[in-house]
Amino acid sequence: MITYEDIKKNEDIRTYIICADKSLEALGFTEHSFAHVGKVAETAKYILETLGFNSHEVELSMIAAYLHDIGNLVNRNEHSQSGAVMAFRILDKLGMESENIATIVTAIGNHDEGTGVAVNPVAAALILADKTDVRRSRVRNNDISTFDIHDRVNYSVRQSSVNINEEKTSIILNLDIDTNFGSVMDYFEIFMGRMIMCRKAADALDLSFKLVINGQQLL
């Protein structure tokens, strides 16, 4: 089986991730490079492992997470679909079994708001891991005076964590926000669609989704 470590070491894949992120940087988007995909992979792993999924499904979720944003190399619009097609070609060329390719491609093609649906556990874990990666270190702009709302909201997040409760009934996104840079309303203005998607993904895993900001539960 092609493993997550194999995917991480693949130079072609590394090139696609680097170049896709450069395109997003030119468009003014936050960081979508190795820090992002690595964090998404670890969060997806945490979610499925905690819920008792087997190691094979966990591995597939990590591969899907690592590859999920390569479609930005083609265009930001509909990048989940173009990324799924790219991932299919890469994984097929590497000799991955068709059933595993299908699971990964389905998850990538369904990870973005507007078109994405948590159609299987790997897709659900990818959605939750991707949409909860909000943090200060993703902001590229060093000039606070020129921040747009996306910069302000990400920069305002001093700490973030994703946790499943002991009863395994809820998944909680806990944010510590510095309101000097972005308000709670700013967060909802740009991330409400993502939070709704997280709620549906959590439902698919028999969890409730909760959002806690500065100690207050808002969802």
Side-chain angles (χ1 to χ4, degrees), residues 3-210:
T3 68
Y4 175 60
E5 289 303 319
D6 294 329
I7 296 299
K8 285 178 67 178
K9 292 174 184 176
N10 186 287
E11 287 302 320
D12 290 337
I13 292 170
R14 291 184 62 84
T15 298
Y16 299 148
I17 292 172
I18 290 168
C19 292
D21 185 54
K22 285 181 179 178
S23 293
L24 291 183
E25 182 177 13
L27 293 169
F29 284 86
T30 53
E31 180 268 328
H32 283 70
S33 190
F34 300 111
H36 172 59
V37 298
K39 182 174 177 59
V40 173
E42 289 301 318
T43 303
K45 175 185 178 182
Y46 162 75
I47 292 169
L48 293 190
E49 278 189 341
T50 303
L51 295 177
F53 286 85
N54 63 47
S55 60
H56 179 66
E57 290 170 298
V58 171
E59 192 82 3
L60 294 181
S61 75
M62 296 181 76
I63 293 172
Y66 200 77
L67 297 175
H68 80 279
D69 270 340
I70 58 173
N72 287 303
L73 183 67
V74 179
N75 196 290
R76 178 61 180 173
N77 292 329
E78 299 182 357
H79 73 280
S80 57
Q81 282 74 36
S82 53
V85 174
M86 288 178 65
F88 173 84
R89 184 182 184 281
I90 292 166
L91 297 174
D92 185 53
K93 186 178 178 181
L94 290 174
M96 181 178 277
E97 295 149 339
S98 58
E99 187 174 351
N100 294 334
I101 293 175
T103 299
I104 292 167
V105 166
T106 298
I108 294 172
N110 278 283
H111 85 269
D112 208 27
E113 55 261 42
T115 57
V117 179
V119 293
N120 60 41
V122 172
L126 175 56
I127 289 167
L128 286 162
D130 180 39
K131 304 312 172 192
T132 57
D133 184 21
V134 53
R135 51 191 161 83
R136 179 169 291 188
S137 56
R138 294 192 70 185
V139 178
R140 306 181 201 263
N141 186 356
N142 294 317
D143 184 357
I144 294 175
S145 67
T146 62
F147 276 3
D148 63 14
I149 188 171
H150 289 84
D151 291 332
R152 291 200 311 274
V153 167
N154 280 278
Y155 194 83
S156 70
V157 178
R158 291 177 292 209
Q159 287 187 322
S160 66
S161 63
V162 175
N163 300 104
I164 294 173
N165 65 355
E166 290 185 11
E167 297 79 13
K168 299 180 183 178
T169 57
S170 298
I171 184 166
I172 304 103
L173 171 59
N174 200 317
L175 301 178
D176 175 16
I177 287 181
D178 183 344
T179 54
N180 289 313
F181 295 104
S183 69
V184 173
M185 287 306 298
D186 283 342
Y187 181 88
F188 276 106
E189 181 179 340
I190 65 171
F191 286 149
M192 179 55 79
R194 298 183 190 185
M195 296 300 96
I196 292 171
M197 197 175 186
C198 283
R199 175 177 283 174
K200 293 178 179 179
D203 285 343
L205 294 171
D206 293 324
L207 298 170
S208 62
F209 177 75
K210 297 180 180 179

